[in-house]
Amino acid sequence: MGIFESIAKFSLGLSKTRTALIQRVQAIVAGKSKIDSELLEELEHVLLEADVGVDMTTLLLERLRERVKREGYEHVQSLLTYIKEEIAKILEHDVLHMQEPAFSRIDQKPYVIMVVGVNGVGKTTTIGKLAYRYKQSGYKVVIGAGDTFRAAANEQLEIWARRAGVEIVQQKQGSDPAAVAYDALSSALAKDASVVIIDTAGRLHTKAPLMEELKKIKRVLGKRLPGAPHEVLLVLDATTGQNGLHQVKYFHDAVNVTGIVLTKLDGTAKGGIVLAITHQQSIPVKYVGIGEGIDDLQPFDRTIFIEALFEGMRQSA
Amino acid sequence: MFDNLTQKLESVFRKIRGEGKLTPQNIEDALREVRRALLDADVNYKVAKQFIADVQARAVGQEVISSITPGQLIIKIIYDEMVKLLGESRADITQAPLPPTVVLVAGLQGSGKTTFCAKLARYLHTKGRLPLLVAADVHRPAAINQLEMLGKQIDVPVFSQQDTEAVTIARNSIEYARKNIRDTVIIDTAGRLHIDEEMMREIEAVRSTVNPHETLFVVDAMTGQDAVNVAKVFYDRLRYDGIVMTKLDGDSRGGAALSIRAVVGKPIKFIGVGEKLDALEPFYPDRIASRILGMGDIVTLVEKAQEQFDQQKAQKLEEKLRRAEFTFDDFLEQLREIKKMGPLSQVLSMIPGMNKLPANASVDERNLTRIEAIIQSMTKDERRRPSIINGSRRRRIAMGSGTTVQDVNRLLKQFEDMQKMMKRLSKGSLRRSLRGMQFSL
Ligand SMILES: Nc1nc2c(ncn2[C@@H]2O[C@H](COP(=O)(O)OP(=O)(O)OP(=O)(O)O)[C@@H](O)[C@H]2O)c(=O)[nH]1
Ligand SMILES: Nc1nc2c(ncn2[C@@H]2O[C@H](COP(=O)(O)OP(=O)(O)OP(=O)(O)O)[C@@H](O)[C@H]2O)c(=O)[nH]1
Ligand SMILES: [Mg+2]
Ligand SMILES: [Mg+2]
């Protein structure tokens, strides 16, 4: 898939989820000429229903008011530009990560990625997609089946490994996940592989023993190869509400998350919680999942994200 | 973020003490706090708005009687309204007049359908029924494997067919159930997006083929604002009879339960509280209401404690406590009992007053693990008689448990304080002691 096609698909995936939002913003905008309380309330509604959360929404509207006080505005359209810009600022540091094309950035060899998150968010599927993309970029990839708990987790990952055409290292259900991770990394080192991706069992962030287990997996990787894992991806379901903030906080405390993958953006959920997350925790969103197919993973790009978010606006302007 | 709503309301109402009636003006601030609590709990924006309007309508004009504060009065109104809206508790499955009863399970990807199917099968199985699990998810990689493995765990047969369409599998499974005398057929289906037309048609076709007696919609408790859209479309297409809310063993507030009830008006029948197959519970509206409002739910805690504590053990322990013979071994055992009750933050949040801790998040569960490690590094003698733990023993324990001498000192000090406190509890009940211990952790 070419880059333009990718962007088109990505925008399409997003626009599907964003049309409602855009249409509502459009409706709000039509014919308004001053920032009255009714308009603010409508904007608040749009943001809250996108799971942006009370605090973040209040902050955004506060910034909007400040800008208006400072700079004034000619017509309502400029209010939208303001809001867009404020959201862009919040997602700002993503630019750092996104200037180079993703999937081909490997600072280390082997580049070790650990994937974590609560139950059912899409970790295993994302690993299949990631492995495929790295493989497409010409890298030798090894997947470690670190979910030794869930029924048929091995079988599921095996299918993904086959689809992606990469190797998988696994042990039988119930074995120590840290041992599997260690094995996978050792095997990658022996075979001179470039990328190692470790799956982990879904776990709720409030379960202390399970979070300890995650830390152990990370520790063991670091022991086998100093500096590993180089990337810890937290997978977050776009339908998640305010609990997303807790998830990030706990996982970050335990294993130092380096990036977020926002999955299931092909639904109608807006994933607005990532605004609060990037604002509070300064963890960038790196990829988005937009389907169940092997190439339904795209790098998260702030510019495209915002363009897609307000796509409908330009047409109406 | 999750301050105690009761307390906030108390402070809001402090200024209207002495006024005789609740008026739109004097409850405005209070309702703003309620709205905030609802939104933080992921109750849908529109549902929250409507809910507040209803509460306001009921509250305005009510006399403030002297025995309770305005804050308590409004909490009671909110709570009652919410429990009413959440509906009754009914963990039932409509029975077919002529077996087999057919149960169809549907929902978004990853919501917990397959796990729930197995949980339901286990539940029926333990009640002496003869369930059959049906693997009608032909899309997700290894979905059939997953259900087969779960079926094996609970000793319930699983019907599956490779390379066959979901509709055909479902149809054949009913035939199979009849022949093999299985009285309940539980059909697991693939996760699907409500806006995926092709997939929604598939499940409609399954439904019209098997004519289920009970269709259940499974939703993740962590779902945010979108829950209403998803639940509504699934309802429009499938007319499901009930809702299953999963993953309530975490710290999500579960506001989606209220949103969905408000939008489709169907009862929530079961809740999932863990990955294991026995982690299925009936739905109790009062508990979820407390949870959504972030209010302590002492009832649940007490019930849970009672469930988990073996009565005899409890009595023995109580005696020991009274005679202050409580040792580190007992402490360790208690610690494990507490851990069994669920995540510490959840247990704590059920105690009124505890959820005003600076967000549940600050309750460090790692402390428990550390304490456990320290105790495990003590010898038998040391556990019984902590007074013998001198400097060199402390260093050894710290080394053994991977902690610091300061950690060990702190624990010993806390333990000593606790013993003192327990001596003071002349005839304190176990529950009170338990609470005391949690405070000291
Ligand atoms: N629509 C859609 N579905 C997705 C996406 N990513 C994953 N899924 C689906 O979500 C479900 C769960 O995905 P998994 O990859 O098994 O999730 P997981 O996090 O590994 O789950 P556990 O290991 O059980 O915790 C599957 O049905 C996937 O097909 C996505 O971006 N969009
Ligand atoms: N903590 C917790 N985890 C749960 C609960 N119910 C299910 N899970 C976990 O959630 C993940 C997804 O569960 P599944 O039963 O595979 O979900 P599904 O809806 O069948 O997923 P798809 O078939 O991919 O759509 C698994 O890791 C389960 O172990 C629950 O009540 N609590
Ligand atoms: Mg998985
Ligand atoms: Mg399933």
Side-chain angles (χ1 to χ4, degrees):
Chain A
M1 189 160 56
I3 182 72
F4 287 106
E5 218 178 313
S6 304
I7 291 175
K9 192 166 181 198
F10 174 70
S11 306
L12 198 70
L14 283 178
S15 70
K16 239 196 292 172
T17 79
R18 312 284 165 177
T19 358
L21 180 98
I22 292 154
Q23 282 167 352
R24 284 219 295 277
V25 173
Q26 264 178 287
I28 293 162
V29 163
K32 299 266 185 191
S33 62
K34 70 180 219 278
I35 180 164
D36 55 29
S37 59
E38 198 183 319
L39 176 63
L40 278 175
E41 198 182 307
E42 296 263 19
L43 275 173
E44 184 191 37
H45 178 178
V46 168
L47 292 169
L48 287 175
E49 277 212 322
D51 290 315
V52 171
V54 178
D55 286 336
M56 197 64 219
T57 299
T58 311
L59 180 87
L60 282 170
L61 294 180
E62 198 43 56
R63 288 191 180 170
L64 182 66
R65 276 200 209 91
E66 273 165 25
R67 287 269 306 254
V68 167
K69 211 193 274 168
R70 219 170 40 234
E71 299 166 31
Y73 68 101
E74 278 174 23
H75 46 79
V76 185
Q77 279 295 347
S78 39
L79 288 182
L80 277 148
T81 311
Y82 288 174
I83 274 260
K84 264 205 260 186
E85 283 170 6
E86 293 308 324
I87 294 175
K89 268 187 226 157
I90 282 160
L91 296 170
E92 190 136 66
H93 54 269
D94 286 322
V95 172
L96 293 177
H97 296 270
M98 291 311 152
Q99 268 158 1
E100 317 138 75
F103 301 120
S104 58
R105 217 184 89 246
I106 284 180
D107 312 327
Q108 312 279 331
K109 189 179 171 207
Y111 191 63
V112 182
I113 306 170
M114 183 174 159
V115 180
V116 303
V118 299
N119 309 79
V121 286
K123 294 175 292 298
T124 306
T125 308
T126 299
I127 289 171
K129 296 171 182 176
L130 264 179
Y132 176 69
R133 296 302 290 263
Y134 276 116
K135 175 82 198 273
Q136 296 289 94
S137 308
Y139 293 111
K140 184 165 180 178
V141 183
V142 173
I143 293 179
D147 180 355
T148 58
F149 177 78
R150 219 211 48 213
N154 268 338
E155 288 78 357
Q156 184 191 4
L157 195 60
E158 227 176 271
I159 294 173
W160 277 112
R162 201 178 314 133
R163 283 182 188 172
V166 304
E167 262 184 65
I168 179 170
V169 172
Q170 54 182 322
Q171 289 178 17
K172 67 173 193 304
Q173 209 193 347
S175 27
D176 178 9
V180 179
Y182 189 91
D183 270 10
L185 181 49
S186 300
S187 155
L189 287 165
K191 289 174 180 147
D192 199 31
S194 298
V195 181
V196 183
I197 314 178
I198 308 290
D199 194 9
T200 61
R203 69 200 71 221
L204 292 181
H205 49 290
T206 49
K207 303 201 169 168
L210 297 181
M211 296 307 275
E212 287 298 322
E213 180 190 274
L214 214 52
K215 285 194 221 166
K216 186 176 160 201
I217 298 174
K218 189 180 174 191
R219 226 168 25 235
V220 163
L221 288 171
K223 257 188 205 143
R224 185 68 186 84
L225 176 71
H230 309 98
E231 179 100 86
V232 178
L233 293 176
L234 174 75
V235 180
L236 195 76
D237 186 325
T239 59
T240 312
Q242 301 308 300
N243 193 249
L245 273 173
H246 283 207
Q247 293 174 24
V248 175
K249 185 182 179 316
Y250 279 63
F251 275 101
H252 192 49
D253 280 355
V255 289
N256 212 352
V257 174
T258 59
I260 288 168
V261 183
L262 190 61
T263 58
K264 309 187 195 175
L265 261 181
D266 46 330
T268 52
K270 318 283 197 290
I273 191 68
V274 299
L275 291 186
I277 290 169
T278 32
H279 182 62
Q280 280 191 16
Q281 303 276 342
S282 291
I283 301 170
V285 183
K286 293 202 169 167
Y287 305 104
V288 296
I290 49 170
E292 297 179 84
I294 203 160
D295 48 39
D296 289 329
L297 185 76
Q298 300 292 335
F300 177 84
D301 183 305
R302 183 180 68 133
T303 319
I304 300 177
F305 183 89
I306 293 168
E307 279 317 302
L309 187 65
F310 293 98
E311 212 168 35
M313 302 308 307
R314 235 173 329 168
Q315 287 154 16
S316 78
Chain B
M1 196 205 302
F2 293 160
D3 290 13
N4 191 335
L5 180 63
T6 319
Q7 290 202 335
K8 272 194 187 164
L9 291 186
E10 288 301 331
S11 77
V12 165
F13 274 109
R14 212 155 283 149
K15 62 175 195 256
I16 64 155
R17 282 263 156 78
E19 291 184 34
K21 268 186 183 152
L22 296 180
T23 66
Q25 290 74 38
N26 65 20
I27 62 170
E28 199 186 301
D29 289 346
L31 291 181
R32 195 168 308 125
E33 291 300 341
V34 175
R35 174 179 180 269
R36 160 93 206 213
L38 296 178
L39 290 171
D40 280 346
D42 290 323
V43 174
N44 177 265
Y45 174 85
K46 287 197 205 85
V47 173
K49 204 167 170 179
Q50 184 58 47
F51 182 77
I52 301 281
D54 293 347
V55 167
Q56 186 175 20
R58 266 207 56 196
V60 167
Q62 290 234 12
E63 304 276 339
V64 178
I65 37 178
S66 54
S67 59
I68 61 170
T69 65
Q72 286 164 337
L73 177 59
I74 203 138
I75 282 277
K76 186 168 162 24
I77 295 171
I78 290 162
Y79 184 74
D80 289 349
E81 281 292 305
M82 193 173 283
V83 171
K84 207 168 76 192
L85 182 56
L86 283 166
E88 67 279 54
S89 169
R90 35 177 299 201
D92 61 336
I93 297 285
T94 310
Q95 295 299 313
L98 198 74
T101 294
V102 179
V103 183
L104 179 65
V105 178
L108 288 182
Q109 286 95 342
S111 52
K113 296 173 295 300
T114 307
T115 309
F116 168 72
C117 286
K119 285 177 178 177
L120 181 64
R122 180 193 167 275
Y123 169 74
L124 294 174
H125 188 61
T126 55
K127 283 178 45 175
R129 299 262 296 274
L130 301 167
L132 173 71
L133 283 162
V134 179
D137 175 358
V138 294
H139 300 279
R140 168 174 165 162
I144 298 175
N145 265 317
Q146 187 188 0
L147 196 67
E148 277 172 349
M149 286 168 81
L150 294 176
K152 203 172 281 167
Q153 272 178 40
I154 52 173
D155 219 8
V156 168
V158 176
F159 180 86
S160 68
Q161 284 180 296
Q162 295 293 335
D163 303 320
T164 313
E165 287 193 352
V167 176
T168 316
I169 296 174
R171 186 193 300 119
N172 294 347
S173 73
I174 312 266
E175 202 44 51
Y176 178 92
R178 279 206 190 95
K179 278 201 192 115
N180 293 273
I181 329 180
R182 305 307 296 183
D183 60 26
T184 313
V185 177
I186 304 169
I187 305 176
D188 180 29
T189 62
R192 66 200 72 222
L193 288 175
H194 52 300
I195 51 169
D196 185 335
E197 193 48 39
E198 199 180 317
M199 289 296 285
M200 290 308 280
R201 279 212 202 102
E202 182 203 65
I203 196 155
E204 276 176 331
V206 170
R207 187 185 141 84
S208 61
T209 305
V210 300
N211 261 318
H213 305 93
E214 179 89 20
T215 302
L216 294 171
F217 172 65
V218 180
V219 63
D220 185 324
M222 294 175 276
T223 313
Q225 297 285 321
D226 201 39
V228 287
N229 302 327
V230 180
K232 187 157 186 325
V233 177
F234 268 91
Y235 186 69
D236 290 344
R237 307 291 293 248
L238 294 178
R239 299 279 143 191
Y240 51 77
D241 307 286
I243 295 149
V244 178
M245 186 165 248
T246 61
K247 308 181 199 172
L248 270 164
D249 42 328
D251 63 353
S252 65
R253 301 262 297 273
L258 193 71
S259 310
I260 296 176
R261 270 298 304 207
V263 172
V264 299
K266 287 290 159 184
I268 299 167
K269 294 197 165 178
F270 297 95
I271 61 170
V273 292
E275 296 172 72
K276 302 242 172 71
L277 298 185
D278 58 357
L280 184 70
E281 290 180 3
F283 168 77
Y284 294 111
D286 46 346
R287 294 186 193 173
I288 300 283
S290 315
R291 185 171 174 141
I292 292 173
L293 291 170
M295 299 198 297
D297 181 1
I298 192 73
V299 186
T300 313
L301 178 68
V302 169
E303 275 179 12
K304 267 201 176 176
Q306 273 167 352
E307 259 172 42
Q308 304 271 355
F309 279 80
D310 171 58
Q311 204 53 41
Q312 274 188 343
K313 238 198 282 176
Q315 264 171 14
K316 257 218 255 22
L317 192 63
E318 206 168 331
E319 248 166 63
K320 276 189 174 173
L321 287 176
R322 232 173 267 152
R323 282 183 282 148
E325 279 173 9
F326 193 72
T327 67
F328 265 117
D329 276 319
D330 301 319
F331 186 86
L332 192 61
E333 198 179 311
Q334 280 267 296
L335 204 62
R336 288 178 177 154
E337 295 290 357
I338 291 171
K339 276 174 117 179
K340 256 200 263 167
M341 281 195 273
L344 183 59
S345 54
Q346 194 185 316
V347 173
L348 289 180
S349 77
M350 286 186 255
I351 304 172
M354 285 305 278
N355 48 6
K356 69 176 190 295
L357 284 173
N360 295 345
S362 73
V363 178
D364 195 349
E365 303 240 11
R366 279 170 304 196
N367 270 338
L368 284 191
T369 316
R370 210 176 302 143
I371 289 170
E372 208 174 328
I374 295 176
I375 300 175
Q376 274 168 336
S377 297
M378 296 180 184
T379 64
K380 262 195 188 146
D381 253 344
E382 288 167 348
R383 289 187 206 183
R384 253 190 315 257
R385 291 185 297 140
S387 57
I388 63 168
I389 305 179
N390 57 19
S392 67
R393 284 178 191 254
R394 284 176 198 217
R395 268 192 302 280
R396 193 208 72 237
I397 293 170
M399 287 264 278
S401 56
T403 59
T404 64
V405 174
Q406 285 93 312
D407 287 333
V408 177
N409 286 343
R410 203 175 310 124
L411 179 66
L412 287 169
K413 174 79 173 62
Q414 278 182 357
F415 188 74
E416 199 184 305
D417 290 349
M418 193 179 60
Q419 275 191 322
K420 275 188 208 146
M421 187 194 69
M422 278 166 180
K423 263 184 214 156
R424 281 200 303 271
L425 279 174
S426 52
K427 51 182 171 63
S429 71
L430 173 68
R431 235 167 275 135
R432 266 171 56 199
S433 314
L434 174 68
R435 261 171 77 180
M437 281 182 52
Q438 285 177 337
F439 281 107
S440 76
L441 281 177

